[in-house]
Amino acid sequence: EAQVTQNPRYLITVTGKKLTVTCSQNMNHEYMSWYRQDPGLGLRQIYYSMNVEVTDKGDVPEGYKVSRKEKRNFPLILESPSPNQTSLYFCASSLSYGRAEREQFFGPGTRLTVL
Amino acid sequence: SQQGEEDPQALSIQEGENATMNCSYKTSINNLQWYRQNSGRGLVHLILIRSNEREKHSGRLRVTLDTSKKSSSLLITASRAADTASYFCATRETSGSRLTFGEGTQLTVNP
């Protein structure tokens, strides 16, 4: 089944404790991205990747890191989480972007709480 | 204000009625996409309309795009209670590869 998976789905952690949220897609998609969703602010893009070893900042990259060593995986790293990073996080992927773009497929979301 | 703003923020209708949601944006775009989200779940792609297209249909969905007014509308005909969800528009700007989402319209369809 074609899908985007995220792990964990729920995480409660404490300030400063490094964490990684994994994202994996099995559709051989080139483009992957991370979003956070907060009430009243909609979805905001954190980072995106247009292919292996190619990543770029979105609208809210501060406090986050990503890597794209393989095509299928795009982990989101919080080196020192803070309470303002409490949010619902979504990973997404698409076959391509720009003029040839097709739909984005979203993962089920990771609800993160930083105490 | 943000790229990709939906209007209204909330809409409540009766089953069988049509629902219209609007999206306005500010910059030049490659395409505009509509997504649906059930509470707390991931987003599901509904339809993508390119900048050189004016109207697109998919089942009970009809999307229009007016690039001169920088606006789009999503029409859901003969709504059902199962259409209750949040609907987001997203714009792919020509200047970059980011996809920018609006804050969404919460649609409630009452049985």
Side-chain angles (χ1 to χ4, degrees):
Chain A
E1 181 190 352
Q3 60 182 348
V4 178
T5 56
Q6 294 178 229
N7 281 292
R9 295 289 313 281
Y10 303 91
L11 179 61
I12 300 175
T13 188
V14 295
T15 298
K17 187 176 181 182
K18 181 179 177 179
L19 67 92
T20 299
V21 184
T22 64
C23 172
S24 183
Q25 51 88 8
N26 61 2
M27 296 169 278
N28 202 35
H29 284 173
E30 288 185 349
Y31 185 94
M32 297 185 74
S33 61
W34 276 102
Y35 299 87
R36 61 177 289 175
Q37 185 176 30
D38 302 287
L41 296 174
L43 277 90
R44 293 178 293 168
Q45 194 171 42
I46 303 171
Y47 269 94
Y48 61 92
S49 168
M50 291 180 280
N51 215 324
V52 175
E53 301 292 1
V54 180
T55 63
D56 210 345
K57 296 177 181 178
D59 295 312
V60 287
E62 295 77 20
Y64 304 94
K65 283 174 56 176
V66 292
S67 69
R68 187 93 182 271
K69 294 186 172 63
E70 308 163 278
K71 201 169 189 178
R72 63 182 295 131
N73 296 323
F74 191 45
L76 179 69
I77 303 155
L78 285 73
E79 294 271 3
S80 183
S82 62
N84 64 13
Q85 293 178 298
T86 292
S87 187
L88 180 59
Y89 291 86
F90 289 102
C91 180
S93 74
S94 62
L95 187 61
S96 61
Y97 62 96
R99 298 192 67 81
E101 183 165 5
R102 298 289 184 266
E103 63 187 294
Q104 277 201 110
F105 290 81
F106 278 79
T110 294
R111 189 167 291 280
L112 172 66
T113 302
V114 183
L115 301 174
Chain B
S1 54
Q2 294 185 17
Q3 176 86 339
E5 292 188 5
E6 290 91 343
D7 168 57
Q9 288 188 325
L11 181 60
S12 182
I13 59 174
Q14 295 300 122
E15 215 166 20
E17 293 180 341
N18 295 341
T20 299
M21 289 160 268
N22 301 298
C23 171
S24 61
Y25 58 92
K26 295 184 181 303
T27 63
S28 295
I29 61 171
N30 259 330
N31 63 65
L32 186 144
Q33 305 174 33
W34 285 92
Y35 288 82
R36 166 198 167 119
Q37 183 184 34
N38 288 80
S39 181
R41 308 282 294 273
L43 279 77
V44 175
H45 181 267
L46 295 176
I47 201 162
L48 181 153
I49 186 165
R50 302 189 190 285
S51 59
N52 61 351
E53 297 175 313
R54 292 295 166 260
E55 188 171 313
K56 215 163 180 182
H57 297 255
S58 177
R60 292 184 296 114
L61 305 181
R62 174 177 166 251
V63 168
T64 62
L65 178 64
D66 187 335
T67 53
S68 66
K69 294 182 180 176
K70 291 186 166 55
S71 68
S72 173
S73 68
L74 170 67
L75 169 67
I76 303 174
T77 59
S79 64
R80 306 166 182 167
D83 293 329
T84 295
S86 291
Y87 292 82
F88 294 88
C89 72
T91 51
R92 179 76 71 184
E93 299 173 32
T94 54
S95 59
S97 48
R98 293 191 290 194
L99 188 66
T100 304
F101 284 80
E103 294 178 25
T105 292
Q106 173 61 50
L107 173 66
T108 302
V109 181
N110 302 299

